[in-house]
Amino acid sequence: MEDKAISRAVIKRLPRYYRYLGELLESGVERISSNELSDRMQVTASQIRQDLNNFGGFGQQGYGYNVKYLHSEIGKILGLDRTYHMIIVGAGNLGQALANYVQFEKRGFLIIGLFDVNPVLKGITVRGIPIRMAEELPDFLQKNSVEIAALTLPKANAKEMADVLVENGIKAIWNFAHTDLRLPKDVIVENVHLSESLMQLSYNISRREQAREPAPDYGDNDENSA
Amino acid sequence: MEDKAISRAVIKRLPRYYRYLGELLESGVERISSNELSDRMQVTASQIRQDLNNFGGFGQQGYGYNVKYLHSEIGKILGLDRTYHMIIVGAGNLGQALANYVQFEKRGFLIIGLFDVNPVLKGITVRGIPIRMAEELPDFLQKNSVEIAALTLPKANAKEMADVLVENGIKAIWNFAHTDLRLPKDVIVENVHLSESLMQLSYNISRREQAREPAPDYGDNDENSA
């Protein structure tokens, strides 16, 4: 159980390593020590070494890490060495915001379809992709290879739509609807619960006010509900 | 360090408890045992009990938990028993998507200002809130009490804008820009890194394909980069 927790935490940290290494690469930096990386990333050098040791020895004593190699290897681990076709289901503001994120394309995530139920949106294009109606999903999924479906629609419709997607072959869902999807075990679900994120903020603001001191260190574990 | 990790994980789980309890409340359910809650939430009853024990004893042996009381107490811990004024800086699709989330208001997060640098957007209203230009921020922040600023603008402008906000009294930032903000310790930052979330998906898809088996259990810790 403990290994399970550690692994998950490490995987969650990998994208941030990838980002920093990408920036170093762009700046022309060829090698970096765990101490230098530690300074930049504001995590301990020992955590960096431990994290990266999970995936084989990348560094060399006295040399540090080769930026290009490390960036590339972490990219492979994160599955970024290939292309994914993604559709967005729910073409409201949030869906359109995702469709407009050019950075996703740079990472290999190509948005190839946009769907909605609102007939007013039919045919409107977002970065060249026409909004289709949800009824066209089964046909579209049959004709196109799609790995990921982003669900950016109201909670009430999310579960039904998730089922339609899974029935038609989708095996990975990026869920922005504020609900838990109960899907078969072979379907990967990544949730982005914005309300829950906002509640982390309110929790911290509230604690800060109670303590009348700088933003809380999570090491304080003596709060209680009253 | 270990307590710190546990606390953070518990806090991250609280909003989900709050959500489930809210739904139970709406359905008219008055009490619930940790086992029943465990079934609904798909987490172990013991985790539920442990998590809630961090905040004082809420349950009673043989009775379970009083839904209304538990919901209310968790709400207080999460700081949801008050109102927060929030502004959104960056009125593109993502900023407008946030501005259109009526659920935030229900939780006590009132969006009272929208800002951008694009003069084309000036004066356009989103749910009755006019988009103002960024130059108006210092004046606006002086005249209005604002607790949270959501940053939904490109990475390149994010750090500068964060500094302006902090200089003008903002002490909590909800950061959607794909960068780390280095701000004074008394400023709370909650990051939503969408690219990183998407990379969790690609990691899992990639592992599933390598293993040619159902979606990976994080307990497998024997992968390496080659």
Side-chain angles (χ1 to χ4, degrees):
Chain A
M1 196 63 170
E2 216 167 73
D3 274 339
K4 185 172 181 165
I6 292 171
S7 286
R8 194 158 197 163
V10 172
I11 302 309
K12 279 205 179 327
R13 287 197 286 270
L14 281 187
R16 190 164 178 258
Y17 287 120
Y18 189 71
R19 170 160 48 98
Y20 274 81
L21 289 162
E23 288 168 4
L24 284 166
L25 199 58
E26 271 174 43
S27 313
V29 175
E30 288 187 11
R31 51 183 260 208
I32 193 159
S33 70
S34 48
N35 287 329
E36 290 166 319
L37 198 49
S38 161
D39 273 339
R40 283 176 179 261
M41 293 185 65
Q42 294 288 290
V43 296
T44 65
S46 84
Q47 176 164 95
I48 292 173
R49 287 191 294 266
Q50 274 180 49
D51 283 351
L52 298 181
N53 278 345
N54 275 293
F55 306 102
F58 288 121
Q60 282 173 328
Q61 204 77 6
Y63 177 86
Y65 301 102
N66 178 285
V67 173
K68 185 169 184 179
Y69 178 70
L70 190 56
H71 179 258
S72 164
E73 291 301 302
I74 291 179
K76 285 183 200 164
I77 292 163
L78 288 172
L80 298 176
D81 55 339
R82 55 157 289 189
T83 305
Y84 300 87
H85 289 157
M86 186 157 89
I87 58 170
I88 297 171
V89 184
N93 284 99
L94 187 54
Q96 293 194 32
L98 291 186
N100 277 311
Y101 259 67
V102 294
Q103 309 84 292
F104 294 159
E105 238 169 71
K106 282 176 45 177
R107 302 275 185 231
F109 300 90
L110 301 178
I111 293 155
I112 65 167
L114 273 165
F115 296 83
D116 205 279
V117 294
N118 184 353
V120 159
L121 297 176
K122 187 180 164 95
I124 292 173
T125 60
V126 180
R127 279 209 299 135
I129 306 158
I131 297 173
R132 293 176 170 83
M133 294 292 99
E135 302 92 67
E136 301 176 57
L137 263 169
D139 189 62
F140 185 91
L141 291 175
Q142 243 205 359
K143 297 196 166 88
N144 295 275
S145 169
V146 178
E147 284 81 46
I148 301 169
L151 269 189
T152 48
L153 74 192
K155 163 173 151 176
N157 310 358
K159 294 189 201 219
E160 186 191 324
M161 193 59 75
D163 289 339
V164 169
L165 290 165
V166 170
E167 276 161 32
N168 286 283
I170 289 288
K171 296 241 179 279
I173 291 182
W174 199 20
N175 176 40
F176 287 80
H178 197 220
T179 185
D180 293 327
L181 301 173
R182 294 287 150 81
L183 297 170
K185 272 186 170 272
D186 65 338
V187 180
I188 294 161
V189 179
E190 171 71 12
N191 293 305
V192 181
H193 287 323
L194 295 179
S195 285
E196 296 189 3
S197 175
L198 199 44
M199 289 182 196
Q200 299 296 301
L201 260 177
S202 59
Y203 168 79
N204 282 313
I205 292 171
S206 173
R207 279 205 67 193
R208 182 179 59 190
E209 280 172 10
Q210 285 168 18
R212 304 220 190 290
E213 71 189 36
D217 183 316
Y218 281 106
D220 295 340
N221 197 19
D222 58 359
E223 74 270 32
N224 59 46
S225 62
Chain B
M1 196 62 168
E2 215 166 75
D3 274 337
K4 185 171 179 167
I6 291 170
S7 288
R8 195 158 197 165
V10 172
I11 302 310
K12 279 204 178 330
R13 286 198 285 270
L14 282 188
R16 192 162 176 259
Y17 287 119
Y18 189 71
R19 173 160 46 98
Y20 274 81
L21 289 162
E23 287 168 5
L24 285 166
L25 198 58
E26 271 173 42
S27 313
V29 175
E30 288 187 11
R31 49 182 263 210
I32 193 159
S33 69
S34 48
N35 287 328
E36 290 167 320
L37 198 49
S38 162
D39 272 340
R40 281 176 180 262
M41 292 184 66
Q42 295 288 289
V43 297
T44 65
S46 85
Q47 177 165 94
I48 292 173
R49 286 192 294 265
Q50 275 179 47
D51 282 351
L52 299 180
N53 278 346
N54 275 293
F55 305 102
F58 287 121
Q60 281 174 328
Q61 203 77 7
Y63 177 85
Y65 302 101
N66 178 286
V67 173
K68 186 170 184 177
Y69 178 71
L70 189 56
H71 179 258
S72 164
E73 289 302 301
I74 291 179
K76 284 182 200 163
I77 292 163
L78 288 173
L80 298 176
D81 54 341
R82 55 158 288 188
T83 305
Y84 300 88
H85 289 157
M86 187 158 88
I87 58 170
I88 296 172
V89 184
N93 285 98
L94 187 54
Q96 294 196 32
L98 291 185
N100 276 310
Y101 260 73
V102 294
Q103 310 84 294
F104 294 159
E105 239 170 69
K106 283 176 45 178
R107 303 275 185 230
F109 299 91
L110 301 179
I111 295 156
I112 64 166
L114 272 165
F115 296 82
D116 204 278
V117 293
N118 184 354
V120 159
L121 299 175
K122 186 179 165 96
I124 292 173
T125 60
V126 181
R127 280 208 299 136
I129 307 158
I131 297 172
R132 294 178 169 82
M133 293 293 98
E135 302 91 70
E136 302 176 58
L137 264 170
D139 189 62
F140 185 91
L141 291 174
Q142 243 204 1
K143 295 195 167 89
N144 295 274
S145 169
V146 178
E147 286 80 46
I148 301 170
L151 269 189
T152 48
L153 75 190
K155 162 173 152 177
N157 311 356
K159 292 187 199 217
E160 188 191 323
M161 194 59 75
D163 289 339
V164 170
L165 291 166
V166 170
E167 276 161 34
N168 287 282
I170 288 289
K171 296 240 180 278
I173 291 182
W174 199 20
N175 175 39
F176 287 80
H178 196 218
T179 186
D180 292 327
L181 301 173
R182 294 288 150 81
L183 297 168
K185 272 186 171 272
D186 65 336
V187 179
I188 294 160
V189 179
E190 171 71 15
N191 293 306
V192 180
H193 286 324
L194 295 178
S195 285
E196 296 188 4
S197 175
L198 198 44
M199 289 183 196
Q200 298 296 301
L201 260 176
S202 59
Y203 168 80
N204 281 314
I205 292 171
S206 173
R207 280 205 66 194
R208 181 179 59 190
E209 279 172 10
Q210 283 168 18
R212 306 220 188 291
E213 69 191 37
D217 183 317
Y218 280 108
D220 296 340
N221 197 19
D222 58 356
E223 75 270 31
N224 60 46
S225 60

